[in-house]
Amino acid sequence: MAQPIQHTQLPIRGLNLHVAQLGTGELGTVVFLHGFPEIWYSWRHQMQAVAAAGYRAIAPDSRGYGLSDQPPEPEPEDVETPWEDLVADLLGILDALSIPKAFLVGKDFGAIPAYDFALRYPDRTRGVMCLGIPFSPVPFNFEGTMPEGFYPLRWRQPGRAEADFGRYDIRRVVRTIYVLFSGSEVPVAKAGQETMDLADDSTPLPEWFTEEDLDEYASLYEKSGFGYPIRMPYRCTDKMTTQLDAKFQVPVFMVMGENDYVFKLPGLEAAVRGGMMNSFAPDLKVALVPEGSHFVQEQFPEKVNELLLGFLKDCP
């Protein structure tokens, strides 16, 4: 039987951040960092698994997402700091909860602060497991390598995603993105199309994603809206830290669904399958989940839970 998840608001660096928690933590703490269009709820299966195994599970809503406060509009002199904010928020959460050291599990853009935190604070990190996004020593840049209709190139344009999303209610927007991102093909709009035009209400949801799940996501985005989630990450990828000499001092575990459309992005498959990450992470493991999509932790929770618990057990 699933244990009830506890919810709290933590005052972190001038914002109240929503944090979901479960478990007592005899064996340690696992912090889960979500991506887009996800929220703490996307880790519901993994939180139950690690708590049942003796760990404390913590899943915050990133600043500007769900039940967490919206950050202020950035000042011009602060435009280089958005990813630094996510790392600092994570450190603040650990300090506020008196957690000296934690495992980090990141998904999609949540992998970026997980990697960055592990590099900067190896003494506070027991290991890092990431899904969907490999470590990159340079900012992601798809200009010239992907079609103009590729959604990150569209959404980084001021007002473009806001106008596209604004044609529909929040539930429809989340539904469309889940349908598109769960496929094996890269979502690319044609000339005269917007990203939201690539699927409609007649397109079925993935079989592992229920109408009740969609209601949960929609209710959380009703609070936050999509203003900040569009800015972070899609208008901040060029501000990622360049770390050509990065060297992880903790174990790193990269998990990808074999049908994740991310594999078709330039350089991403080489990073995962070609060994590029090994030069930065000496203690690296890679696992590919057959038939897994970009939302592999929701699609195949039992398999991802098995991989996660094995990683936690194997870490020193």
Side-chain angles (χ1 to χ4, degrees):
M1 181 177 179
Q3 302 177 53
I5 293 174
Q6 305 299 313
H7 299 268
T8 189
Q9 298 286 134
L10 292 180
I12 305 293
R13 304 177 60 241
L15 299 176
N16 288 318
L17 299 185
H18 169 252
V19 175
Q21 300 186 65
L22 184 64
T24 55
E26 297 94 340
L27 299 180
T29 298
V30 186
V31 181
F32 296 91
L33 304 175
H34 66 77
F36 178 88
E38 294 160 301
I39 217 77
W40 77 266
Y41 181 78
S42 63
W43 296 114
R44 60 198 179 281
H45 305 298
Q46 287 68 49
M47 293 181 72
Q48 294 287 343
V50 301
Y55 297 89
R56 181 182 185 183
I58 295 176
D61 285 344
S62 179
R63 55 171 47 215
Y65 279 73
L67 301 179
S68 289
D69 282 353
Q70 298 288 311
E73 289 290 326
E75 297 295 330
E77 63 270 20
D78 292 334
V79 296
E80 299 299 326
T81 65
W83 298 102
E84 298 289 332
D85 281 331
L86 299 189
V87 173
D89 287 350
L90 176 53
L91 179 63
I93 289 170
L94 295 184
D95 288 345
L97 297 176
S98 301
I99 298 169
K101 209 166 187 176
F103 294 100
L104 307 179
V105 183
K107 160 74 177 14
D108 190 70
F109 86 83
I112 297 172
Y115 289 133
D116 288 351
F117 188 95
L119 287 168
R120 186 169 304 177
Y121 301 106
D123 58 322
R124 303 292 299 271
T125 310
R126 293 182 64 181
V128 57
M129 171 177 167
C130 288
L131 294 78
I133 297 290
F135 172 73
S136 176
V138 297
F140 291 120
N141 181 8
F142 301 110
E143 188 72 42
T145 62
M146 292 297 293
E148 178 276 334
F150 180 43
Y151 69 92
L153 297 179
R154 290 282 184 88
W155 292 354
R156 74 177 185 177
Q157 301 171 23
R160 186 79 179 252
E162 290 88 339
D164 187 12
F165 292 7
R167 297 178 294 156
Y168 304 103
D169 62 30
I170 284 177
R171 193 177 191 277
R172 166 68 187 275
V173 173
V174 175
R175 186 185 198 283
T176 299
I177 296 173
Y178 251 82
V179 168
L180 295 178
F181 287 13
S182 63
S184 60
E185 297 301 319
V186 178
V188 176
K190 299 176 182 178
Q193 269 189 326
E194 296 296 335
T195 304
M196 289 295 107
D197 297 328
L198 295 176
D200 58 30
D201 283 336
S202 68
T203 309
L205 284 170
E207 62 182 17
W208 43 266
F209 191 73
T210 68
E211 294 289 343
E212 291 73 24
D213 293 332
L214 180 57
D215 290 340
E216 187 72 25
Y217 279 94
S219 69
L220 293 169
Y221 276 101
E222 288 284 355
K223 159 100 171 29
S224 66
F226 290 107
Y228 187 79
I230 292 169
R231 282 166 47 201
M232 170 56 77
Y234 296 104
R235 294 173 189 160
C236 297
T237 52
D238 61 331
K239 301 178 179 66
M240 291 168 56
T241 304
T242 297
Q243 305 177 86
L244 296 176
D245 58 350
K247 192 72 69 175
F248 288 92
Q249 300 177 45
V250 300
V252 177
F253 189 22
M254 179 73 225
V255 176
M256 293 281 293
E258 286 194 331
N259 289 346
D260 191 335
Y261 72 89
V262 169
F263 267 133
K264 297 182 178 178
L265 304 183
L268 273 291
E269 184 166 12
V272 177
R273 297 181 190 263
M276 182 277 287
M277 280 184 65
N278 295 79
S279 60
F280 301 101
D283 189 358
L284 173 69
K285 289 175 56 181
V286 176
L288 303 179
V289 179
E291 301 183 16
S293 71
H294 192 59
F295 301 108
V296 65
Q297 87 281 14
E298 295 184 88
Q299 179 186 11
F300 294 121
E302 292 183 359
K303 179 59 178 176
V304 172
N305 292 348
E306 178 186 347
L307 293 170
L308 171 57
L309 293 174
F311 177 65
L312 301 180
K313 181 180 179 182
D314 290 343
C315 282

